[in-house]
Amino acid sequence: MSAPVTQMKAPTRLEYLVHAGATTTTFLHSILKGQLVGRRCPVCHKVYIPPRGACPTCAVLCTDEVPVSNSGTVTTFSIVRIPFEGQRLTPPYACAHIVLDGADVPLLHIVGGCSVDEVRVGMRVEAVWLEIPQPTLATVTWFKPNGEPDRAVNDRGEVVP
Amino acid sequence: MSLPTDDLVSPFTLEYTYKRSTGPVIGRFLAGLRDGQLLGVRTLTGDVLVPPTEYEPTTGDAVTDEFVEVGPEGTVSTWTWISNPGPKDPVSVPFAWAMVHLDGASTPMLHVVLSPEASLKTGARVRAKFAETRVGHIRDLAGFEVVT
């Protein structure tokens, strides 16, 4: 008998049509205008970005739209060194939690435009936008170092004011 | 509450590119398909399971290590016609899913019959058609064709 078979390809593929919903639709329209717009909870006053339709802590609707800054602070990060199928970037690259100025929760995105060895907690970064915006958060290619001095980040991942 | 009509909508594909371990018995069956052979496995009671499994389903006993070549012809025991194949179906033209009882096998096997609907009937005789390029996968068996 010829060579044995020990493995077979068995991919699972699910094709969805995703409806963004009212809150995310507003957020993506703001990206088309080159702006990052979050929403504020009327009870705890936290600014969420990406925006949420309701505050998960206070269980009330978030209706106030709040533009946030293009700059923020890295509060935690992970270096991706492992290649996998469907990967958009070439490893190594850094995935990071970035708390934008004016926001209270971190945004998960990429830190680029520098060596992964330079990425650190407290690093100041700013959004790099595509020239032609698309209705997706990927219109921000990544966040690059903006040259400002590092900020302190506490154990809870909050930027110390 | 009314449904929003101006929300953004986007296609999204979630895909896991799994590979599965075949185990020794299915692995042997797939190697057979790659080599243009249909193989079953002999159970302790003398039956021939096609496709082969590691355990005999009615008793739970491990099967023997005797592999038996079956087919390449067999008999359709039941079938259903697919007049509008979907994107995940194995062929893009109308076809039948059929239980094919291969000659020498004790169990029927689910696969594709590629012949016209008018030629299909319960009891129809069919013959295996292998794919030209074979890699050790169930689709190495392209399907069955009705023998006239």
Side-chain angles (χ1 to χ4, degrees), chain B residues 3-67:
Chain B
L3 283 172
T5 53
D6 51 355
D7 284 358
L8 293 171
V9 178
S10 173
F12 179 80
T13 303
L14 178 67
E15 187 171 26
Y16 297 103
T17 53
Y18 290 131
K19 279 183 188 159
R20 290 176 61 175
S21 297
T22 58
V25 174
I26 297 285
R28 181 76 185 272
F29 173 70
L30 295 177
L33 292 183
R34 185 192 56 203
D35 300 342
Q37 269 189 329
L38 291 160
L39 294 176
V41 71
R42 181 90 64 194
T43 66
L44 286 174
T45 53
D47 284 342
V48 176
L49 306 178
V50 182
T53 53
E54 292 182 30
Y55 297 91
E56 206 267 297
T58 54
T59 63
D61 292 332
V63 296
T64 70
D65 54 11
E66 184 193 351
F67 285 83

Side-chain angles (χ1 to χ4, degrees), chain B residues 64-112:
Chain B
T64 70
D65 54 11
E66 184 193 351
F67 285 83
V68 182
E69 187 168 2
V70 296
E73 290 195 6
T75 306
V76 170
S77 56
T78 184
W79 55 283
T80 184
W81 187 249
I82 307 297
S83 46
N84 294 304
K88 288 184 180 176
D89 280 322
V91 284
S92 54
V93 294
F95 70 97
W97 285 116
M99 294 297 272
V100 175
H101 206 124
L102 286 157
D103 296 346
S106 309
T107 56
M109 171 173 135
L110 180 69
H111 214 288
V112 167

Side-chain angles (χ1 to χ4, degrees), chain A residues 2-106:
Chain A
S2 51
V5 172
T6 58
Q7 283 197 323
M8 55 177 262
K9 284 187 177 180
T12 295
R13 188 181 168 88
L14 300 166
E15 290 175 5
Y16 293 98
L17 207 55
V18 175
H19 288 247
T23 307
T24 303
T25 293
T26 311
F27 174 64
L28 295 175
H29 279 307
S30 75
I31 283 181
L32 286 173
K33 293 179 211 153
Q35 265 200 327
L36 295 166
V37 178
R39 285 204 190 187
R40 179 181 283 124
C41 169
V43 176
C44 69
H45 308 297
K46 273 194 176 142
V47 172
Y48 290 93
I49 185 151
R52 285 172 173 270
C55 177
T57 308
C58 308
V60 294
L61 293 180
C62 298
T63 48
D64 288 353
E65 297 198 338
V66 184
V68 300
S69 172
N70 262 326
S71 294
T73 307
V74 172
T75 59
T76 188
F77 66 94
S78 178
I79 310 294
V80 179
R81 301 182 187 275
I82 298 168
F84 54 87
E85 228 168 297
Q87 199 168 26
R88 285 198 300 126
L89 300 171
T90 308
Y93 56 89
C95 287
H97 270 186
I98 298 156
V99 176
L100 294 170
D101 300 347
D104 294 290
V105 298

Side-chain angles (χ1 to χ4, degrees), chain A residues 36 69-74 98 100-101 110-112 123-129 140-148:
Chain A
L36 295 166
S69 172
N70 262 326
S71 294
T73 307
V74 172
I98 298 156
L100 294 170
D101 300 347
I110 310 287
V111 173
M123 184 186 209
R124 293 285 292 161
V125 292
E126 67 181 29
V128 176
W129 292 74
V140 174
T141 312
W142 57 44
F143 286 80
K144 69 169 186 187
N146 72 354
E148 291 175 12

